[in-house]
Amino acid sequence: MCCHNVLEYDDDNRLTLSPLHQAWLDNHSRSLGLFVDGKCIRPADRQSRSLADSKGGNLCSTVCAVEDDVSQCASSAVKGHKAWGDLSCHQRAKVLLRSASALGQHGTCVSELCELCEVSCSPSSLIRLLQYYSSWAQLRDALVPDWTPLGVLSSDLFLLGNSVIVVPGRSRAPPTLLLAQLFTGAGLPAGALNVLTGSDMSLCARVAQNANIGYVAYSGNKQDGVLLCKSTAGMGIPVSVSPNIGARCPFIIFESADIDSAVDAVIEAAFKKKREVHWVLCVQESVVDSVVARLGLRMAGMKCVALHSDGDRGLVDAAVRDAQQQGATLIQSCAAPSSGAQYPPTVLCGAAPSSPFVVNPSPGPLLPLMTFRSNTEAVVLGNHSPHGQAASIWTEDLTLALETAKSLSVGSVWVNSHSVSDPCLPVSGHKDSGTCTDGGQEVCTTICDFFTSPRSIPVSTPVLVFLPSSSLLPSYMLPPSSPISAPKVYLQFVGGKPCKSVSGCSVAVQSPGGASVLAYCPDGGRKDVRNAVEAAVKVQPSWMKKSPSARAQSLYSLSKGLEAKRRDIAGSINVQTGLSMDEADKEVELSIARLSDWAAYCDKVQGGSPALPQSGSALSLPGALGVVGVVLPDESPLLSMVTLLGAAIGNGNAVVMVPSEKYPLPALALIQVLQSSDLPAGLVNIITGSRDQLTVALATHSVIKAIWYWGSAEGCQYLQYTCTSPLKTLRLSCQKEDGGKDWTWSHPSLLEEMWRSAVQWKSVWIPTA
């Protein structure tokens, strides 16, 4: 039974079981099995191992998988690979988003179980991870259009259509099994994600040696990673190792730092967070007395930290004795108890880089403190480690921070912060801290290239084919278009509200053959454009300041709203353009997927720090244009609108849109979706009327920063001539010359060009000595 079957709610939608993790464990009789083919199984005649909680009590037991279980799991993964790989990328993205939603719904249960198992993982970080990689799953077709999944992987990269076998560590088994149940309940096909638990590293080796495995990724301690590499040597299977447990990381405090903030941060990092790394405090000599005094004050009254076993207590006692024999002084929050698996937070002042308790740190709450004189010596201390995972630098001198960050041989450097991560930023392990890189656009693109194999299809084949989602209704289930007894009166959309034009005039919208009047639309003019720009100017700065992930979620919300109204909008396309209901519904489906594409792009253009020929550093930062005027084409009236709309607002711009003068109804039908979305009022404005008249109004408005125009050759010429004072960024397309753009074509270079046309770049130069 999955977690969502255990978690029950009362009439007020409040959880009735507390704590939630206890209910989930009790549902499994506190005896956890394997997760194979979409369900939990507990094979007979298997050994099991008990798992203690953070307080030393018996939490549960886990099964030790054998060779037969590995074979069964691999067979399940092969079937899951086909089911998962056959889904379109849009469908896989939706499954990952539903998984994120399920994780948010049951985040309390996951958090409680992780806390009890002493696993350093928060549901919020997992949700962000799922959201980020769902966007890459959405873009899979656009990045490499003709592809097939590679096969069965023992890694966490199943967004591309590969199936995955996860072999968690002993303490991570319960949370991993819970997540597998949640994700399968959210729609992940059976067999796409499998979990095997075992007693030692030999299980990992047996899984890696299975003939169906195509790639192995390992995360844990270095010793086991080395064993895995040796056991798979000569098999031709790529293996990436990320030994992120037990690494030594420098925490460097310069004299120019905010000492109070730095001391608070090092106490939090070393003593209050789950410790998967060992921090080494490096302090500049001129401020060491101040830092030591503040450490004594901040640590006063802190409670003892629980250790895993009495054996760990013996290692801690030995390290402290060794430090004192070498002349180190102690700062402790309280006296150490005479016995027991606990020890007070302790700072070992006066440590040397070669001290045994620094080179081979014990598992307890010990923080060595070393001093340095110059900036160069700080870098030497920071690099005096076989590990290169991360470092934290504390200084208010930005030049010093960047110089030090460039000189440290680590994968992540945090300036005036620590332990911050996001999947959109690439993280690499240097030296002994790994052979793989996670996160970031460049890495995801590399992953896409590696974990897929191209089909034997000519490059000239149409690039993007959106398969219908599970909610797509067959054409015979769609309501037939009925004749309109009386023309409908539409309103335009300004400042987040439907409204009439300032003039009060309307224009008739003709049927495809011109035999009848379908509707009446406002005849907008210069004053309507003025009102729309005023509304856009008010909201655009705050929209631009939103995080890319927040803008992405708004676009995903807009996509869901469009899907909810797909019948009505497909009907408006059918009535307005004369397309069949099947063709109209396909345009709506493509529009839904296109909005999801743009949502996925939101946090992919992050700028960077290019290499410079001279000493120094530079940052390239993408920024919004401001208010963009968009004159829409006649072709694919809905798809062209959402394509240009998503590219503009996804980058932080506000828009004033002029729908096709010939086919305005699909754009006006979208107003209902915009009203129900979480986009701020005034961000999107839609004004109907004469294309030429509204183009003149957009061109002569001084606040509009860019105009994207699809129209006549005369209109293009007018804009080029007029938009010179002030200068406007122009994107012009003559419909007569290009014969009408194929908006269903989604070549990655085309989408990339359109996306980047909505961005302006700022270069920040940071000189160094």
Side-chain angles (χ1 to χ4, degrees), residues 180-263:
Q181 287 185 276
L182 289 177
F183 296 164
T184 302
L188 192 66
L193 175 60
N194 305 272
V195 181
L196 290 176
T197 57
S199 57
D200 51 33
M201 277 299 298
S202 62
L203 174 61
C204 294
R206 291 199 300 272
V207 174
Q209 292 167 0
N210 188 279
N212 293 306
I213 299 298
Y215 187 90
V216 177
Y218 171 80
S219 177
N221 61 58
K222 180 184 175 182
Q223 294 80 5
D224 289 341
V226 170
L227 290 176
L228 180 61
C229 291
K230 290 181 177 180
S231 65
T232 55
M235 297 177 57
I237 300 175
V239 179
S240 66
V241 178
S242 178
N244 53 13
I245 296 178
R248 297 204 320 264
C249 300
F251 196 105
I252 304 173
I253 301 178
F254 289 97
E255 61 184 1
S256 54
D258 180 344
I259 302 300
D260 288 322
S261 299
V263 169

Side-chain angles (χ1 to χ4, degrees), residues 91 94 466-475 477-478 563 566 581-582 585-586 588-589 592:
Q91 290 170 324
K94 291 171 67 174
F466 288 96
L467 300 180
S469 68
S470 57
S471 61
L472 180 59
L473 295 174
S475 58
M477 296 182 64
L478 293 170
E563 188 166 14
R566 64 185 304 158
M581 283 301 295
D582 280 346
D585 195 73
K586 287 180 182 178
V588 176
E589 174 66 19
I592 294 169

Side-chain angles (χ1 to χ4, degrees), residues 541-677:
S542 60
W543 172 253
M544 178 180 60
K545 292 178 182 177
K546 284 183 175 291
S547 67
S549 60
R551 293 199 297 267
Q553 294 310 307
S554 295
L555 283 173
Y556 279 126
S557 173
L558 189 63
S559 174
K560 291 180 181 178
L562 179 58
E563 188 166 14
K565 293 284 185 179
R566 64 185 304 158
R567 291 194 194 182
D568 295 338
I569 295 178
S572 70
I573 296 174
N574 164 255
V575 171
Q576 174 78 94
T577 64
L579 293 175
S580 67
M581 283 301 295
D582 280 346
E583 293 173 315
D585 195 73
K586 287 180 182 178
E587 182 171 344
V588 176
E589 174 66 19
L590 287 171
S591 301
I592 294 169
R594 187 63 52 79
L595 282 173
S596 297
D597 282 344
W598 290 137
Y601 262 94
C602 278
D603 56 359
K604 304 304 180 295
V605 182
Q606 297 289 338
S609 179
L612 301 178
Q614 69 274 17
S615 177
S617 300
L619 300 176
S620 56
L621 306 175
L625 296 171
V627 180
V628 179
V630 184
V631 182
L632 296 168
D634 295 334
E635 295 81 12
S636 303
L638 177 66
L639 181 58
S640 61
M641 180 181 183
V642 300
T643 299
L644 299 171
L645 170 67
I649 66 175
N651 278 301
N653 301 290
V655 293
V656 178
M657 311 196 81
V658 178
S660 164
E661 187 176 359
K662 186 178 180 180
Y663 303 130
L665 296 189
L668 295 175
L670 189 66
I671 290 177
Q672 291 184 344
V673 178
L674 293 170
Q675 279 185 288
S676 61
S677 72

Side-chain angles (χ1 to χ4, degrees), residues 204-351:
C204 294
R206 291 199 300 272
V207 174
Q209 292 167 0
N210 188 279
N212 293 306
I213 299 298
Y215 187 90
V216 177
Y218 171 80
S219 177
N221 61 58
K222 180 184 175 182
Q223 294 80 5
D224 289 341
V226 170
L227 290 176
L228 180 61
C229 291
K230 290 181 177 180
S231 65
T232 55
M235 297 177 57
I237 300 175
V239 179
S240 66
V241 178
S242 178
N244 53 13
I245 296 178
R248 297 204 320 264
C249 300
F251 196 105
I252 304 173
I253 301 178
F254 289 97
E255 61 184 1
S256 54
D258 180 344
I259 302 300
D260 288 322
S261 299
V263 169
D264 289 340
V266 73
I267 290 177
E268 179 186 25
F271 302 133
K272 294 183 179 180
K273 284 185 172 288
K274 295 289 188 302
R275 300 187 66 206
E276 292 188 345
V277 300
H278 298 281
W279 290 100
V280 178
L281 181 58
C282 307
V283 183
Q284 198 155 11
E285 283 186 353
S286 57
V287 293
V288 67
D289 291 338
S290 177
V291 170
V292 169
R294 284 172 169 79
L295 282 171
L297 290 175
R298 300 292 202 281
M299 291 172 59
M302 290 181 64
K303 297 180 179 179
C304 290
V305 176
L307 305 176
H308 288 288
S309 64
D310 291 335
D312 287 348
R313 173 61 189 271
L315 295 175
V316 172
D317 288 335
V320 172
R321 286 194 303 268
D322 181 62
Q324 290 177 315
Q325 290 172 1
Q326 295 188 20
T329 58
L330 307 183
I331 302 176
Q332 290 184 317
S333 60
C334 59
S338 58
S339 61
Q342 56 180 348
Y343 203 82
T346 303
V347 177
L348 305 174
C349 302

